Amino acid sequence: MECVFGLVGNDFAVVAADTSAVHSILVHKSNEDKIMILDSHKLIAASGESGDRVQFTEYIQKNVALYQFRNGIPLTTAAAANFTRGELATALRKNPYFVNILLAGYDKETGPSLYYIDYIATLHKVDKGAFGYGSYFSLAMMDRHYHSGMTVEEAIELVDKCIVEIRSRLVVAPPNFVIKIVDKEGAREYAWRESVKDAAVASA
Amino acid sequence: MSIFEYNGSALVAMVGKNCFAIASDRRLGVQLQTIATDFQRISKIHDRLFLGLSGLATDAQTLYQRLVFRHKLYQLREERDMKPETFANLVSAILYEKRFGPYFCQPVIAGLGDEDKPFICTMDSIGAKELAKDFVVAGTASESLYGACESMFKQDMEPEDLFETVSQALLSSVDRDCLSGWGGHVYVVTPTEVKERILKGRMD
């Protein structure tokens, strides 16, 4: 029931992900951040098997950093996306990673971009994308309301519309979401949309 | 559901008078859900050789990267482009290498050989070549495509006629297949130029 979706706006890209960490019927935590900041201008929103998700995204993050150390310049978003796809494709017939990824980035030369990379390493550059059961609702909302060149306010309004749909129509809807944005200033957390807060830990 | 029907695809190549046409649909899906409507299934190997890959998108992308690599090496060693017949043999060999763990793709190869003679062929996922003098088809819509091409094909069509025929055959066939469609991509190749056109069909 993990929901991840994202879209490309005027000169930014925004991704949103649910924040529940679930095992079978138990919710371990509801403030798990599934959107990793890959480097200064890239975000990787991942959904799928939790162990694979954390391991794989950290592996990509460290390799992207290594490239920057070795070569003195950061990878472009397209290069990072192709690298990620390559790693998933190599592992596919040996020891596959069950992680679906939306890679959002901003490059000075080419502007914002969003890449859809599913767990069997299908790569496609998209304007809007989503994974999970939530995608049935978020893609439909985005198909209706998305247009190219949206402002941040319009995009966040659309993201909120998608979250409202997921909350009201998905049977085991995740209560909390995190929204992150990447533009020429960099990749950063934009907001949380919480409807259930974790209970405070009682003091001993 | 068969692994060949996971993403959905439709490909056709047709021979004309000193020219050929290769066309594909534009849908990228994940079973019943449509992810993108601008997916490129046909790639240029060199000015007179085009490769279309139907079937599982991730394997199509991996296979395309391997083939481009092999062709670039060939160009460096031989200082010339590969002939279509040679390329078809290469694709067949690469596919058969994975006989007991195959790439889930069906390639369609179309090119202009010696003396500008058009060459088309297709093969199954383990490299069994099927040469044809008139047309070849592949993908989830292949049965409809066989019927449409058989009835619409005429020998020695000029490029403009060939474009019309291929387009009508493609659009009418994908309209009977829910997994392919969302427009078409047609390349008509003559010894002097390559014309790329995008078709607008039923967008469903």
Side-chain angles (χ1 to χ4, degrees):
Chain A
M1 306 292 178
E2 292 192 6
C3 307
V4 171
F5 60 95
L7 57 113
V8 173
N10 201 0
D11 54 0
F12 66 92
V14 63
V15 280
D18 78 288
T19 58
S20 48
V22 168
H23 268 101
S24 165
I25 56 164
L26 176 67
V27 178
H28 277 299
K29 61 192 295 227
S30 44
N31 58 356
E32 166 84 1
D33 188 355
K34 295 178 191 169
I35 307 181
M36 171 177 281
I37 292 180
L38 205 60
D39 73 8
S40 64
H41 286 76
K42 287 179 203 47
L43 288 170
I44 196 165
S47 79
E49 186 90 46
S50 11
D52 282 347
R53 171 171 54 78
V54 173
Q55 294 285 68
F56 185 72
T57 52
E58 277 183 9
Y59 174 71
I60 299 296
Q61 187 190 50
K62 300 319 171 199
N63 272 283
V64 166
L66 183 60
Y67 181 94
Q68 185 160 0
F69 286 133
R70 280 185 175 149
N71 298 289
I73 52 161
L75 276 171
T76 60
T77 312
N82 274 291
F83 172 70
T84 307
R85 186 208 104 85
E87 292 301 308
L88 283 169
T90 313
L92 180 62
R93 282 173 155 92
K94 297 186 175 113
N95 191 6
Y97 294 105
F98 291 100
V99 196
N100 296 311
I101 282 165
L102 279 176
L103 203 155
Y106 185 91
D107 303 304
K108 256 197 356 225
E109 301 82 17
T110 50
S113 49
L114 181 66
Y115 288 87
Y116 171 102
I117 310 169
D118 82 359
Y119 76 102
I120 48 171
T122 311
L123 170 70
H124 194 59
K125 185 168 185 294
V126 292
D127 284 333
K128 49 189 180 329
F131 283 109
Y133 285 118
S135 68
Y136 292 119
F137 309 105
S138 45
L139 275 177
M141 284 312 268
M142 289 193 282
D143 282 340
R144 171 66 181 86
H145 295 292
Y146 177 87
H147 55 85
S148 61
M150 290 174 93
T151 63
V152 179
E153 292 72 32
E154 288 174 325
I156 297 298
E157 217 183 284
L158 179 49
V159 166
D160 280 328
K161 279 197 174 101
C162 295
I163 291 175
V164 162
E165 274 306 301
I166 291 170
R167 277 188 179 147
S168 61
R169 291 296 183 185
L170 187 55
V171 63
V172 195
N176 302 335
F177 286 81
V178 63
I179 305 173
K180 293 198 183 177
I181 194 168
V182 60
D183 61 14
K184 71 177 192 302
E185 311 293 327
R188 59 191 181 282
E189 195 177 281
Y190 182 87
W192 283 71
R193 299 283 187 249
E194 286 172 312
S195 62
V196 163
K197 277 192 151 59
D198 266 339
V201 176
S203 52
Chain B
M1 199 192 234
S2 156
I3 190 80
F4 289 99
E5 293 164 12
Y6 187 74
N7 292 123
S9 51
L11 272 176
V12 57
M14 241 187 224
V15 165
K17 196 175 169 81
N18 292 331
C19 64
F20 68 86
I22 182 166
S24 76
D25 73 319
R26 305 187 77 201
R27 178 181 180 269
L28 174 71
V30 170
Q31 295 187 306
L32 60 96
Q33 190 177 53
T34 300
I35 300 300
T37 57
D38 58 357
F39 191 66
Q40 280 265 39
R41 228 159 236 118
I42 299 173
S43 335
K44 188 175 90 157
I45 302 292
H46 61 75
D47 283 326
R48 294 153 61 98
L49 179 57
F50 283 75
L51 169 73
L53 286 163
S54 70
L56 196 61
T58 176
D59 282 349
Q61 287 174 333
T62 303
L63 195 57
Y64 166 70
Q65 286 174 343
R66 281 191 70 186
L67 290 166
V68 159
F69 169 72
R70 293 294 298 265
H71 184 254
K72 282 184 175 171
L73 262 181
Y74 183 94
Q75 274 178 326
L76 285 170
R77 289 181 179 136
E78 302 261 332
E79 293 179 356
R80 65 183 177 90
D81 291 329
M82 242 190 213
K83 280 194 267 202
E85 294 85 357
T86 316
F87 186 73
N89 276 325
L90 173 66
V91 179
S92 176
I94 285 182
L95 288 173
Y96 197 79
E97 260 178 355
K98 303 273 185 206
R99 171 64 177 83
F100 299 109
Y103 291 117
F104 298 109
C105 292
Q106 229 190 326
V108 163
I109 294 153
L112 287 174
D114 291 331
E115 279 127 43
D116 297 337
K117 188 161 182 300
F119 169 89
I120 53 169
C121 90
T122 185
M123 52 194 83
D124 68 5
S125 59
I126 48 173
K129 260 190 301 185
E130 188 203 305
L131 304 170
K133 297 201 169 63
D134 40 17
F135 58 86
V136 289
V137 302
T140 50
S142 58
E143 277 136 5
S144 305
L145 278 164
Y146 273 124
C149 291
E150 195 69 70
S151 57
M152 295 188 199
F153 181 79
K154 290 193 305 286
Q155 284 281 7
D156 291 331
M157 280 185 279
E158 295 296 326
E160 287 310 311
D161 268 334
L162 185 63
F163 165 70
E164 285 300 327
T165 308
V166 152
S167 307
Q168 292 296 344
L170 181 71
L171 288 178
S172 56
S173 306
V174 302
D175 284 348
R176 280 289 182 185
D177 177 25
C178 52
L179 296 173
S180 54
W182 282 96
H185 226 123
V186 187
Y187 292 83
V188 179
V189 182
T190 59
T192 46
E193 64 165 357
V194 172
K195 256 214 173 100
E196 180 186 342
R197 291 181 184 98
I198 302 215
L199 304 172
K200 190 168 157 110
R202 275 184 68 106
M203 299 305 207
D204 61 3

